[in-house]
Amino acid sequence: MEPEDRCRYLETLDTVKKKTRCQVYAYCLMRNHVHLVIAEGDDDNIGEIMRRLGSSYVYWYNHKYERVGYLFQDRFLSEPIESEPYLIAAVRYVHQNPIKAGITTECAHYVWSSYLAYTTGKEHRGELTDTAFALGVTGGLQQFVEFHGETSKYDFQDVEDSANASTAEVLAAVQLIMGGHPVGMLKEMNPTERNRVLRELKTIPGVSSAKIARLVGLGRKVVERA
């Protein structure tokens, strides 16, 4: 990514954030990939957020470089974050990526991550990063900086969803509860009936709200509030 390309990506992320009302806790733009820590908005799930982000950015990128076709080689990888300690560990993991890649020796020396938004209040795109929550969890700026000075023990791409119910089991349960109707019809149900189905799904042992949201195409908060 050239500097202009990186700035455009952050501009696009900011636009998508405002449209979907998601929260951006961390980002890091590397040479050939991007790391994000995002909390879903009220309605759009992570898949829809990434679709909006990807399609808008690729359209601009292809026009700039007079090219056609896909830009990203694979579908994005994602995993749910369901605790505060795990969240701040994910934020640190994202900020430490340039160190692990041998690009720099300190998070503060890499300008294409959200680390400086936390420590200086400055970033490339206005107030893109939602810093208050992570700073509050760590206990303030000094503790946040000290926490980032420690080595992350997580490799988040390799962490699996702790929920152990299989995808097939969850989808089968959805169809059973819905009387055999396609899973896609869940979005078209009135809120009362939809929430009844979601509440039943959440009683299945070993299935998280995040997994339900991904499989049925609803926002995680919609599932959690049901």
Side-chain angles (χ1 to χ4, degrees), residues 199-220:
R199 284 194 296 271
E200 289 195 46
L201 287 175
K202 289 193 289 185
T203 66
I204 301 173
V207 61
S208 66
S209 294
K211 174 172 280 188
I212 294 172
R214 289 198 303 272
L215 294 180
V216 302
L218 293 171
R220 178 174 164 184

Side-chain angles (χ1 to χ4, degrees), residues 14 66 74 85 105 112 226:
D14 187 48
E66 298 181 344
D74 299 308
T105 57
W112 297 108

Side-chain angles (χ1 to χ4, degrees), residues 186 190-200 222 225-226:
L186 190 60
N190 66 68
T192 300
E193 185 63 18
R194 180 196 66 200
N195 289 344
R196 180 191 67 79
V197 174
L198 293 176
R199 284 194 296 271
E200 289 195 46
V222 173
R225 289 197 301 261

Side-chain angles (χ1 to χ4, degrees), residues 27 111 113-126 129:
Y27 63 80
V111 300
S113 84
S114 51
Y115 182 79
L116 293 178
Y118 280 93
T119 57
T120 70
K122 299 178 181 179
E123 57 184 326
H124 293 276
R125 185 65 185 177
T129 310

Side-chain angles (χ1 to χ4, degrees), residues 25 84 87-88 118 130-138:
Y25 292 128
E84 292 180 353
L87 170 65
I88 59 172
Y118 280 93
D130 299 286
T131 61
F133 185 75
L135 287 174
V137 172
T138 53

